[in-house]
Amino acid sequence: MLETSARLLRLLSLLQAHREWSGADLADRLGVTPRTVRRDIDRLRELGYPVHSAPGTAGGYRLSAGAQLPPLLLDDEEAVAVAVGLRQATGGVEGIEETSVRALAKLEQVLPDRLRRRVSALSSFTVPMPGAVQGPAADPAVLIELASACRDAQALRFTYRDHGGTVTRRTAEPLRLVAAQRRWYLVAWDVDRDDWRTYRVDRITPTPPHGPRFTPRRPPADDLAAYVARGVSGAVYREQATVLLRVPVERAAQRISPAAGTLEAVDEHSCLLHTGAHGLDVLVVHIVLAGFDFEVREPVELIEHIREIRDRLDRALGDRAPG
């Protein structure tokens, strides 16, 4: 039989992981009598845990919200996820930076060394890319595995599913992870293709064992976030365009995220936008909604498409006078 303190921790863990337990189920899980369960529930209540009980044969126990926050039990994966989230919040969400730092300090103080190394690897080998669109969430276990390989300079073996659904086997030397809200990318040297590649993490399935160790290569760009953004905003799309925006690049960057296109300064009054989309209609909408005067440099098909849309709008308005 478990000692009382260990049994209380086990009981608390069960209550946190399940919406409601019957007394009999808890007694069976803990290897004790229902009477012992009732005593342990009373001890948890004395410690400040709001355990609600419902009487009768269909009744049970559940952990509900209380007036104060009691201590929480986290398993290894949950602790790593919370720590990584707090590290990102310290510099990515306005207004909660100081609170995040305090919470992170408390958590990392009690993290075992094995978990602290995992958190450190995922944070140290991640590059944030702000303003990207939402996308499929990556598996935290895969993220940690990739981050550890980046940290240890260990070759990765994995299968990769491309945009068309084709699955191929890859061997790569991982460099960095680039975070774009819920979408993550791995920048790595593809050994078989002898070139740098950017992989969507949600399309990666690791196939260990990994290895061997390698000497890290010179990165493909000084700004890896911009490097990935160029690939995300252009290379995967059927239609691509270059547009002159008649605003300074700093102002354009306030409205156009790296995931929507890359910006290149021309002079103090204008900049070039390199972007892409799955169709010309989508391209026109993105460019117009940016809210700047513009001039299409290429392709010619986009210029003709804008003329068609202009004529269609003219016909829709007819002879109506403004006002």
Side-chain angles (χ1 to χ4, degrees), residues 300-311:
V300 174
E301 292 80 6
L302 179 58
I303 299 174
E304 294 300 325
H305 197 68
I306 291 175
R307 287 198 181 104
E308 292 175 6
I309 293 175
R310 180 200 60 192
D311 294 342

Side-chain angles (χ1 to χ4, degrees), residues 120-185:
S120 179
L122 187 53
S123 299
S124 299
F125 289 87
T126 297
V127 179
M129 187 174 72
V133 296
Q134 294 281 325
D139 185 338
V142 173
L143 280 172
I144 291 170
E145 188 170 353
L146 300 183
S148 298
C150 291
R151 177 197 63 200
D152 299 335
Q154 185 179 40
L156 277 169
R157 296 184 178 91
F158 57 92
T159 58
Y160 189 70
R161 176 177 49 83
D162 65 16
H163 182 71
T166 302
V167 177
T168 55
R169 291 186 174 275
R170 305 292 182 98
T171 300
E173 298 175 355
L175 176 66
R176 286 290 187 279
L177 289 165
V178 175
Q181 294 185 9
R182 288 186 59 205
R183 186 167 289 176
W184 293 73
Y185 301 88

Side-chain angles (χ1 to χ4, degrees), residues 11-154:
L11 173 59
L12 179 58
S13 179
L14 291 172
L15 290 171
Q16 289 181 166
H18 199 280
R19 182 171 181 82
E20 186 165 299
W21 291 92
S22 69
D25 286 340
L26 288 174
D28 183 62
R29 288 294 188 102
L30 297 171
V32 297
T33 65
R35 182 178 179 182
T36 300
V37 170
R38 289 194 294 272
R39 288 201 304 265
D40 288 347
I41 291 292
D42 288 338
R43 290 191 181 96
L44 288 179
R45 287 169 176 160
E46 292 171 0
L47 294 171
Y49 292 96
V51 182
H52 175 77
S53 59
T57 56
Y61 298 99
R62 62 182 175 86
L63 196 62
S64 58
Q68 294 180 333
L69 179 66
L72 300 176
L73 287 179
L74 300 175
D75 62 26
D76 285 3
E77 298 301 326
E78 291 168 341
V80 169
V82 171
V84 170
L86 287 171
R87 285 197 175 190
Q88 292 183 340
T90 58
V93 182
E94 184 179 358
I96 67 169
E97 297 92 338
E98 182 180 350
T99 306
S100 299
V101 168
R102 292 201 309 269
L104 180 60
K106 291 179 180 180
L107 180 58
E108 292 196 337
Q109 184 178 7
V110 297
L111 280 179
D113 287 341
R114 69 180 190 281
L115 299 186
R116 190 177 292 111
R117 280 176 52 82
R118 293 168 69 182
V119 173
S120 179
L122 187 53
S123 299
S124 299
F125 289 87
T126 297
V127 179
M129 187 174 72
V133 296
Q134 294 281 325
D139 185 338
V142 173
L143 280 172
I144 291 170
E145 188 170 353
L146 300 183
S148 298
C150 291
R151 177 197 63 200
D152 299 335
Q154 185 179 40

